[in-house]
Amino acid sequence: MASKPAEVEEPVCFGEGYELDVRRRRLCRGRHFIRLERIPLEILVLLVERKDEIVTRDEIVSRVWGKGVFLDTDNSIRGAVRKLRQALKDDAGSPRFIRTVTGQGYRFIAPVTTPEELNGTGATGPPTSTVHMSPAPVLDSDTPSFPAEGEGDRPTGKLAAPETSQGHRRARRWLFAGAMLLFAFVGFAAYKVTRSSAPAAKYAKIASVAVMPLKNLSGDPTQEYLADGMTEELIGRLSMIGGLRVISRTSVMQFKNTRLLTPEIAKTLGVDALVEGSVIREGSRIRIHAQLIRASTDEHFWSETYDRELGDALTLESEIAESVARRVEVTVTGEERARLVAARPVSPEVYEVYLKGLSANGNSRAEVEASIANFDEAISKDPTFAPAYVGLAHAYDNLGTVFVG
Protein backbone atom coordinates (compact mmCIF):
# COMPACT_ATOMS: atom_id res chain seq x y z
CA MET A 1 0.00 0.00 0.00
CA ALA A 2 1.35 3.45 -0.87
CA SER A 3 2.59 5.50 2.06
CA LYS A 4 0.52 8.47 3.22
CA PRO A 5 2.03 11.85 2.31
CA ALA A 6 3.79 13.58 5.23
CA GLU A 7 1.77 16.29 6.96
CA VAL A 8 3.09 19.70 7.99
CA GLU A 9 3.40 18.76 11.66
CA GLU A 10 4.74 15.28 11.13
CA PRO A 11 6.85 13.59 13.83
CA VAL A 12 10.57 14.30 13.94
CA CYS A 13 13.42 12.05 15.06
CA PHE A 14 16.71 12.83 16.77
CA GLY A 15 19.42 11.19 18.81
CA GLU A 16 19.38 7.49 19.55
CA GLY A 17 15.82 6.63 18.58
CA TYR A 18 13.90 9.59 20.03
CA GLU A 19 10.71 10.56 18.20
CA LEU A 20 8.77 13.75 18.93
CA ASP A 21 5.19 13.89 17.66
CA VAL A 22 4.70 17.66 17.52
CA ARG A 23 0.99 17.56 16.75
CA ARG A 24 0.07 15.06 19.48
CA ARG A 25 2.68 16.40 21.92
CA ARG A 26 4.21 12.97 22.57
CA LEU A 27 7.83 11.98 23.08
CA CYS A 28 8.86 8.37 22.54
CA ARG A 29 12.03 6.37 22.33
CA GLY A 30 11.46 3.40 20.10
CA ARG A 31 8.17 1.92 21.33
CA HIS A 32 8.48 3.43 24.82
CA PHE A 33 6.46 6.54 25.69
CA ILE A 34 8.40 9.11 27.76
CA ARG A 35 6.21 10.96 30.23
CA LEU A 36 6.94 14.71 30.36
CA GLU A 37 5.12 17.59 32.02
CA ARG A 38 3.55 20.20 29.76
CA ILE A 39 6.13 22.98 30.23
CA PRO A 40 9.28 20.87 29.54
CA LEU A 41 7.53 19.33 26.52
CA GLU A 42 6.54 22.74 25.12
CA ILE A 43 10.12 23.96 25.54
CA LEU A 44 11.38 20.87 23.68
CA VAL A 45 8.96 21.54 20.79
CA LEU A 46 10.14 25.15 20.59
CA LEU A 47 13.83 24.17 20.66
CA VAL A 48 13.35 21.50 17.98
CA GLU A 49 11.42 23.93 15.76
CA ARG A 50 14.30 26.41 16.12
CA LYS A 51 17.08 23.81 15.81
CA ASP A 52 20.62 25.27 15.79
CA GLU A 53 19.24 28.70 16.73
CA ILE A 54 19.54 30.38 20.13
CA VAL A 55 16.13 30.49 21.80
CA THR A 56 16.13 33.25 24.41
CA ARG A 57 14.48 33.00 27.81
CA ASP A 58 12.07 35.77 26.80
CA GLU A 59 11.02 33.75 23.75
CA ILE A 60 10.47 30.70 25.95
CA VAL A 61 8.33 32.71 28.39
CA SER A 62 6.28 34.22 25.55
CA ARG A 63 5.70 30.79 23.94
CA VAL A 64 5.06 28.70 27.06
CA TRP A 65 3.44 31.10 29.53
CA GLY A 66 2.38 34.03 27.37
CA LYS A 67 3.12 37.73 27.71
CA GLY A 68 2.30 39.66 30.86
CA VAL A 69 2.86 36.70 33.21
CA PHE A 70 4.68 37.56 36.43
CA LEU A 71 6.74 34.68 37.84
CA ASP A 72 10.28 33.70 38.66
CA THR A 73 10.97 32.81 35.03
CA ASP A 74 14.67 32.01 35.43
CA ASN A 75 14.02 29.34 38.06
CA SER A 76 10.98 27.99 36.19
CA ILE A 77 12.90 27.67 32.92
CA ARG A 78 15.95 26.13 34.62
CA GLY A 79 13.75 23.58 36.38
CA ALA A 80 11.90 22.67 33.18
CA VAL A 81 15.14 22.30 31.18
CA ARG A 82 16.58 20.15 33.97
CA LYS A 83 13.57 17.80 33.75
CA LEU A 84 13.89 17.75 29.97
CA ARG A 85 17.57 16.81 30.18
CA GLN A 86 16.73 14.03 32.65
CA ALA A 87 14.14 12.62 30.26
CA LEU A 88 16.61 12.72 27.34
CA LYS A 89 19.51 11.48 29.50
CA ASP A 90 21.38 14.61 28.44
CA ASP A 91 24.14 16.30 30.40
CA ALA A 92 24.59 20.06 30.79
CA GLY A 93 28.37 19.71 30.98
CA SER A 94 28.73 17.83 27.68
CA PRO A 95 25.33 18.13 25.99
CA ARG A 96 24.13 15.98 23.10
CA PHE A 97 20.79 17.74 22.64
CA ILE A 98 20.36 20.99 24.61
CA ARG A 99 23.23 23.44 25.03
CA THR A 100 23.05 26.35 27.48
CA VAL A 101 24.17 29.62 25.89
CA THR A 102 25.27 31.61 28.93
CA GLY A 103 23.35 34.85 29.36
CA GLN A 104 21.14 34.22 26.32
CA GLY A 105 19.15 31.01 26.36
CA TYR A 106 19.34 27.50 24.91
CA ARG A 107 20.09 25.81 21.58
CA PHE A 108 19.02 22.39 20.27
CA ILE A 109 22.16 20.91 18.70
CA ALA A 110 21.20 17.35 17.67
CA PRO A 111 20.42 16.53 14.01
CA VAL A 112 16.67 16.33 13.35
CA THR A 113 15.01 14.25 10.65
CA THR A 114 11.70 12.51 9.90
CA PRO A 115 10.78 8.82 10.27
CA GLU A 116 10.46 8.55 6.47
CA GLU A 117 13.99 9.85 5.99
CA LEU A 118 15.28 7.47 8.65
CA ASN A 119 13.65 4.54 6.85
CA GLY A 120 14.96 5.69 3.46
CA THR A 121 11.54 6.33 1.86
CA GLY A 122 12.00 10.04 1.35
CA ALA A 123 15.71 10.68 1.58
CA THR A 124 17.84 11.82 -1.28
CA GLY A 125 20.87 9.90 -0.02
CA PRO A 126 21.34 6.45 1.47
CA PRO A 127 19.18 5.73 4.52
CA THR A 128 20.80 5.96 7.92
CA SER A 129 21.69 2.72 9.65
CA THR A 130 20.04 3.78 12.94
CA VAL A 131 16.41 2.82 12.47
CA HIS A 132 14.36 2.62 15.66
CA MET A 133 11.00 3.92 14.57
CA SER A 134 9.46 0.81 13.00
CA PRO A 135 9.83 -2.93 13.68
CA ALA A 136 11.93 -5.00 11.32
CA PRO A 137 10.01 -7.33 8.96
CA VAL A 138 9.70 -10.94 10.07
CA LEU A 139 11.46 -13.37 7.78
CA ASP A 140 9.60 -16.57 6.83
CA SER A 141 9.65 -19.15 4.08
CA ASP A 142 7.80 -16.79 1.73
CA THR A 143 10.40 -14.02 2.06
CA PRO A 144 13.29 -14.14 -0.43
CA SER A 145 16.69 -14.22 1.28
CA PHE A 146 20.30 -14.39 0.30
CA PRO A 147 21.93 -17.83 0.28
CA ALA A 148 23.69 -18.84 3.43
CA GLU A 149 27.41 -19.48 3.33
CA GLY A 150 28.18 -22.74 1.51
CA GLU A 151 24.82 -22.99 -0.26
CA GLY A 152 26.10 -21.69 -3.62
CA ASP A 153 23.35 -20.57 -5.98
CA ARG A 154 20.56 -22.69 -4.54
CA PRO A 155 17.20 -20.95 -4.90
CA THR A 156 15.50 -19.63 -1.77
CA GLY A 157 12.03 -18.44 -0.77
CA LYS A 158 9.11 -20.30 -2.35
CA LEU A 159 11.48 -22.17 -4.69
CA ALA A 160 13.61 -23.31 -1.75
CA ALA A 161 15.33 -26.65 -1.65
CA PRO A 162 14.14 -29.48 0.56
CA GLU A 163 12.37 -28.69 3.86
CA THR A 164 15.39 -29.76 5.88
CA SER A 165 17.54 -26.96 4.39
CA GLN A 166 14.78 -24.44 5.05
CA GLY A 167 14.68 -25.58 8.70
CA HIS A 168 18.44 -25.16 9.01
CA ARG A 169 18.30 -21.67 7.62
CA ARG A 170 15.47 -20.69 9.96
CA ALA A 171 17.39 -22.11 12.90
CA ARG A 172 20.48 -20.15 11.94
CA ARG A 173 18.41 -16.97 11.66
CA TRP A 174 16.93 -17.50 15.11
CA LEU A 175 20.37 -18.16 16.58
CA PHE A 176 21.72 -15.03 14.94
CA ALA A 177 18.78 -12.96 16.23
CA GLY A 178 19.26 -14.35 19.74
CA ALA A 179 22.96 -13.49 19.68
CA MET A 180 22.19 -9.96 18.55
CA LEU A 181 19.66 -9.55 21.35
CA LEU A 182 22.20 -10.77 23.88
CA PHE A 183 24.86 -8.37 22.60
CA ALA A 184 22.33 -5.52 22.64
CA PHE A 185 21.35 -6.31 26.24
CA VAL A 186 24.97 -6.45 27.42
CA GLY A 187 25.76 -3.20 25.58
CA PHE A 188 22.72 -1.44 27.03
CA ALA A 189 23.59 -2.60 30.57
CA ALA A 190 27.15 -1.31 30.18
CA TYR A 191 25.82 2.00 28.81
CA LYS A 192 23.49 2.45 31.80
CA VAL A 193 26.27 1.74 34.30
CA THR A 194 28.58 4.21 32.56
CA ARG A 195 25.88 6.90 32.40
CA SER A 196 24.94 6.47 36.06
CA SER A 197 28.53 6.94 37.21
CA ALA A 198 29.52 9.64 34.70
CA PRO A 199 28.03 12.80 36.30
CA ALA A 200 30.16 12.49 39.42
CA ALA A 201 33.32 12.47 37.31
CA LYS A 202 32.31 15.25 34.91
CA TYR A 203 31.85 17.94 37.52
CA ALA A 204 34.66 19.28 39.65
CA LYS A 205 34.13 19.10 43.39
CA ILE A 206 32.51 22.19 44.92
CA ALA A 207 34.86 23.48 47.60
CA SER A 208 33.83 27.14 47.76
CA VAL A 209 30.54 29.06 47.70
CA ALA A 210 29.30 32.63 47.86
CA VAL A 211 25.94 33.49 49.43
CA MET A 212 24.50 36.21 47.23
CA PRO A 213 22.43 38.94 48.94
CA LEU A 214 18.95 37.53 49.50
CA LYS A 215 16.19 39.45 47.73
CA ASN A 216 13.46 41.15 49.70
CA LEU A 217 10.21 40.07 48.04
CA SER A 218 7.92 41.37 50.79
CA GLY A 219 6.99 44.42 48.71
CA ASP A 220 8.05 46.64 51.62
CA PRO A 221 11.40 48.46 51.28
CA THR A 222 11.58 48.87 55.07
CA GLN A 223 12.02 45.10 55.32
CA GLU A 224 15.35 45.26 53.46
CA TYR A 225 17.18 44.80 56.77
CA LEU A 226 15.55 41.38 57.09
CA ALA A 227 17.01 40.12 53.79
CA ASP A 228 20.45 41.61 54.53
CA GLY A 229 20.51 40.25 58.07
CA MET A 230 19.42 36.76 56.96
CA THR A 231 22.16 36.85 54.28
CA GLU A 232 24.82 37.50 56.93
CA GLU A 233 23.39 34.84 59.24
CA LEU A 234 23.44 32.24 56.49
CA ILE A 235 27.04 33.15 55.64
CA GLY A 236 27.90 32.68 59.30
CA ARG A 237 26.22 29.28 59.48
CA LEU A 238 27.97 27.98 56.36
CA SER A 239 31.30 29.31 57.67
CA MET A 240 31.02 26.82 60.54
CA ILE A 241 31.73 24.02 58.05
CA GLY A 242 35.50 23.60 57.88
CA GLY A 243 35.56 21.82 54.50
CA LEU A 244 33.79 24.67 52.72
CA ARG A 245 35.29 28.06 51.84
CA VAL A 246 32.64 30.78 52.19
CA ILE A 247 33.07 34.31 50.82
CA SER A 248 32.60 37.15 53.31
CA ARG A 249 29.55 39.40 53.50
CA THR A 250 31.61 42.46 52.54
CA SER A 251 32.65 40.83 49.26
CA VAL A 252 29.19 39.63 48.23
CA MET A 253 27.23 42.76 49.14
CA GLN A 254 28.86 44.62 46.24
CA PHE A 255 26.79 42.37 43.94
CA LYS A 256 23.46 43.30 45.49
CA ASN A 257 20.98 44.11 42.68
CA THR A 258 23.68 43.42 40.10
CA ARG A 259 22.84 42.41 36.54
CA LEU A 260 26.02 40.42 36.09
CA LEU A 261 25.62 36.77 35.10
CA THR A 262 26.37 33.88 37.45
CA PRO A 263 29.65 32.80 35.75
CA GLU A 264 30.94 36.40 35.86
CA ILE A 265 30.16 36.79 39.57
CA ALA A 266 31.63 33.38 40.39
CA LYS A 267 34.81 34.16 38.44
CA THR A 268 35.23 37.50 40.23
CA LEU A 269 34.77 35.90 43.65
CA GLY A 270 36.72 32.75 42.75
CA VAL A 271 34.03 30.26 43.84
CA ASP A 272 32.61 27.01 42.50
CA ALA A 273 28.94 27.72 43.25
CA LEU A 274 26.54 30.48 44.28
CA VAL A 275 23.74 30.32 46.86
CA GLU A 276 20.88 32.55 45.73
CA GLY A 277 17.53 33.15 47.35
CA SER A 278 14.74 35.42 48.51
CA VAL A 279 12.93 36.35 51.73
CA ILE A 280 9.25 37.13 52.21
CA ARG A 281 7.81 38.25 55.55
CA GLU A 282 4.13 37.88 56.36
CA GLY A 283 3.43 39.04 59.90
CA SER A 284 5.47 36.89 62.27
CA ARG A 285 6.31 34.29 59.60
CA ILE A 286 9.14 34.31 57.08
CA ARG A 287 9.54 32.27 53.92
CA ILE A 288 13.00 31.72 52.44
CA HIS A 289 13.62 30.25 49.00
CA ALA A 290 17.23 29.08 48.51
CA GLN A 291 18.95 27.53 45.50
CA LEU A 292 22.40 26.40 44.39
CA ILE A 293 23.88 27.40 41.01
CA ARG A 294 26.94 25.62 39.61
CA ALA A 295 29.35 28.32 38.42
CA SER A 296 30.92 26.39 35.53
CA THR A 297 27.63 25.62 33.75
CA ASP A 298 25.15 28.16 35.21
CA GLU A 299 23.15 25.06 36.16
CA HIS A 300 20.51 25.20 38.89
CA PHE A 301 20.90 21.88 40.76
CA TRP A 302 19.13 22.34 44.10
CA SER A 303 16.35 24.48 45.51
CA GLU A 304 14.13 24.42 48.57
CA THR A 305 11.56 26.66 50.25
CA TYR A 306 11.42 27.06 54.03
CA ASP A 307 8.47 28.54 55.92
CA ARG A 308 8.93 29.27 59.65
CA GLU A 309 8.03 31.61 62.48
CA LEU A 310 10.54 34.44 62.81
CA GLY A 311 11.49 33.04 66.22
CA ASP A 312 12.63 29.80 64.58
CA ALA A 313 14.88 31.61 62.11
CA LEU A 314 18.11 30.30 63.68
CA THR A 315 16.94 26.71 63.21
CA LEU A 316 15.88 27.53 59.66
CA GLU A 317 19.33 28.90 58.82
CA SER A 318 20.96 25.76 60.20
CA GLU A 319 18.70 23.59 58.03
CA ILE A 320 19.65 25.56 54.91
CA ALA A 321 23.36 25.30 55.75
CA GLU A 322 23.12 21.52 56.22
CA SER A 323 21.17 21.14 52.96
CA VAL A 324 23.82 23.10 51.06
CA ALA A 325 26.60 20.98 52.61
CA ARG A 326 24.83 17.78 51.52
CA ARG A 327 24.32 18.98 47.98
CA VAL A 328 27.93 20.07 47.49
CA GLU A 329 29.05 16.82 49.17
CA VAL A 330 31.16 18.49 51.85
CA THR A 331 31.86 16.42 54.96
CA VAL A 332 30.39 17.95 58.13
CA THR A 333 32.10 16.72 61.28
CA GLY A 334 30.18 15.76 64.38
CA GLU A 335 31.39 18.86 66.20
CA GLU A 336 30.34 21.12 63.32
CA ARG A 337 26.91 19.51 63.13
CA ALA A 338 26.47 19.95 66.88
CA ARG A 339 27.17 23.69 66.51
CA LEU A 340 24.73 23.94 63.61
CA VAL A 341 21.85 22.28 65.42
CA ALA A 342 22.49 24.12 68.71
CA ALA A 343 20.17 26.95 67.66
CA ARG A 344 17.25 27.63 69.99
CA PRO A 345 13.98 29.53 69.55
CA VAL A 346 14.18 33.25 70.19
CA SER A 347 11.57 35.96 70.64
CA PRO A 348 10.61 37.50 67.26
CA GLU A 349 11.10 40.99 68.74
CA VAL A 350 14.61 40.13 69.92
CA TYR A 351 15.58 38.54 66.63
CA GLU A 352 14.18 41.42 64.59
CA VAL A 353 16.27 43.97 66.53
CA TYR A 354 19.29 41.69 66.21
CA LEU A 355 18.88 41.54 62.40
CA LYS A 356 18.64 45.32 62.29
CA GLY A 357 21.97 45.41 64.10
CA LEU A 358 23.54 43.11 61.52
CA SER A 359 22.14 45.13 58.63
CA ALA A 360 23.25 48.49 60.08
CA ASN A 361 26.85 47.38 60.73
CA GLY A 362 28.29 49.26 57.73
CA ASN A 363 31.37 51.33 56.93
CA SER A 364 30.52 54.66 58.57
CA ARG A 365 30.64 55.61 62.24
CA ALA A 366 26.90 56.39 62.23
CA GLU A 367 26.06 52.95 60.85
CA VAL A 368 28.27 51.15 63.37
CA GLU A 369 26.82 53.15 66.27
CA ALA A 370 23.30 52.32 65.08
CA SER A 371 24.17 48.61 65.03
CA ILE A 372 25.61 48.87 68.58
CA ALA A 373 22.33 50.41 69.76
CA ASN A 374 20.35 47.57 68.15
CA PHE A 375 22.54 44.87 69.71
CA ASP A 376 22.25 46.57 73.12
CA GLU A 377 18.47 46.59 72.76
CA ALA A 378 18.43 42.87 71.83
CA ILE A 379 20.54 42.05 74.90
CA SER A 380 18.30 44.11 77.17
CA LYS A 381 15.26 42.22 75.87
CA ASP A 382 16.94 38.79 76.20
CA PRO A 383 20.24 38.69 78.16
CA THR A 384 20.65 34.99 77.26
CA PHE A 385 20.70 35.57 73.48
CA ALA A 386 24.39 34.89 72.72
CA PRO A 387 24.44 36.00 69.02
CA ALA A 388 23.64 39.56 70.14
CA TYR A 389 26.81 39.62 72.26
CA VAL A 390 28.85 38.34 69.31
CA GLY A 391 27.34 41.03 67.07
CA LEU A 392 28.06 43.70 69.68
CA ALA A 393 31.71 42.63 69.93
CA HIS A 394 32.10 42.78 66.14
CA ALA A 395 30.46 46.21 66.03
CA TYR A 396 32.87 47.63 68.63
CA ASP A 397 35.74 46.06 66.70
CA ASN A 398 34.50 47.78 63.53
CA LEU A 399 34.14 51.06 65.40
CA GLY A 400 37.87 51.04 66.11
CA THR A 401 38.69 50.77 62.40
CA VAL A 402 36.21 53.32 61.03
CA PHE A 403 37.83 56.61 60.07
CA VAL A 404 34.77 58.26 58.57
CA GLY A 405 33.19 60.72 60.98
Side-chain angles (χ1 to χ4, degrees), residues 84-96:
L84 187 52
R85 283 180 170 139
Q86 290 173 349
L88 296 175
K89 296 180 174 56
D90 200 10
D91 177 45
S94 54
R96 296 177 298 137

Side-chain angles (χ1 to χ4, degrees), residues 6 17-18 20 66 73 78 82 119 180 190 205 221 249 256 279 292 315 320 340 343 366:
Y18 289 99
L20 174 63
T73 54
R78 284 192 186 115
R82 187 176 70 252
N119 288 313
M180 291 299 99
K205 180 181 178 181
R249 174 184 183 272
K256 185 173 181 178
V279 180
L292 267 168
T315 303
I320 297 176
L340 283 173

Side-chain angles (χ1 to χ4, degrees), residues 209-212 234 238 273-277 290-293 302 320 324:
V209 299
V211 181
M212 301 308 295
L234 185 53
L238 286 171
L274 299 183
V275 180
E276 297 180 348
Q291 61 187 16
L292 267 168
I293 311 295
W302 170 80
I320 297 176
V324 170

Side-chain angles (χ1 to χ4, degrees), residues 8-45:
V8 175
E9 293 185 341
E10 64 183 37
V12 294
C13 303
F14 57 88
E16 300 164 349
Y18 289 99
E19 180 176 323
L20 174 63
D21 190 331
V22 177
R23 184 172 52 187
R24 298 171 63 193
R25 292 300 195 267
R26 287 172 59 94
L27 177 64
C28 300
R29 188 175 189 185
R31 296 187 178 185
H32 298 286
F33 170 69
I34 299 176
R35 187 176 299 277
L36 263 180
E37 297 175 11
R38 184 190 69 84
I39 290 177
L41 187 57
E42 289 297 328
I43 293 177
L44 175 60
V45 171

Side-chain angles (χ1 to χ4, degrees), residues 342-385:
R344 65 174 180 84
V346 62
S347 165
E349 294 81 10
V350 172
Y351 193 67
E352 186 169 9
V353 175
Y354 167 70
L355 289 180
K356 288 181 178 178
L358 291 178
S359 177
N361 198 2
N363 296 319
S364 70
R365 181 175 294 276
E367 288 175 323
V368 176
E369 289 177 347
S371 70
I372 290 174
N374 285 316
F375 290 134
D376 280 336
E377 183 180 352
I379 292 171
S380 67
K381 291 177 179 291
D382 184 355
T384 66
F385 186 52

Side-chain angles (χ1 to χ4, degrees), residues 156-174:
T156 57
K158 287 187 175 181
L159 302 178
E163 186 178 349
T164 305
S165 299
Q166 289 281 28
H168 288 167
R169 283 197 298 276
R170 282 198 298 271
R172 279 194 293 269
R173 283 199 294 268
W174 280 110

Side-chain angles (χ1 to χ4, degrees), residues 59-97:
E59 289 173 323
I60 292 174
V61 172
S62 177
R63 169 70 172 266
V64 177
W65 287 281
K67 297 181 179 179
V69 175
F70 298 95
L71 74 162
D72 191 351
T73 54
D74 281 347
N75 288 336
S76 300
I77 292 173
R78 284 192 186 115
V81 171
R82 187 176 70 252
K83 292 177 182 178
L84 187 52
R85 283 180 170 139
Q86 290 173 349
L88 296 175
K89 296 180 174 56
D90 200 10
D91 177 45
S94 54
R96 296 177 298 137
F97 302 116

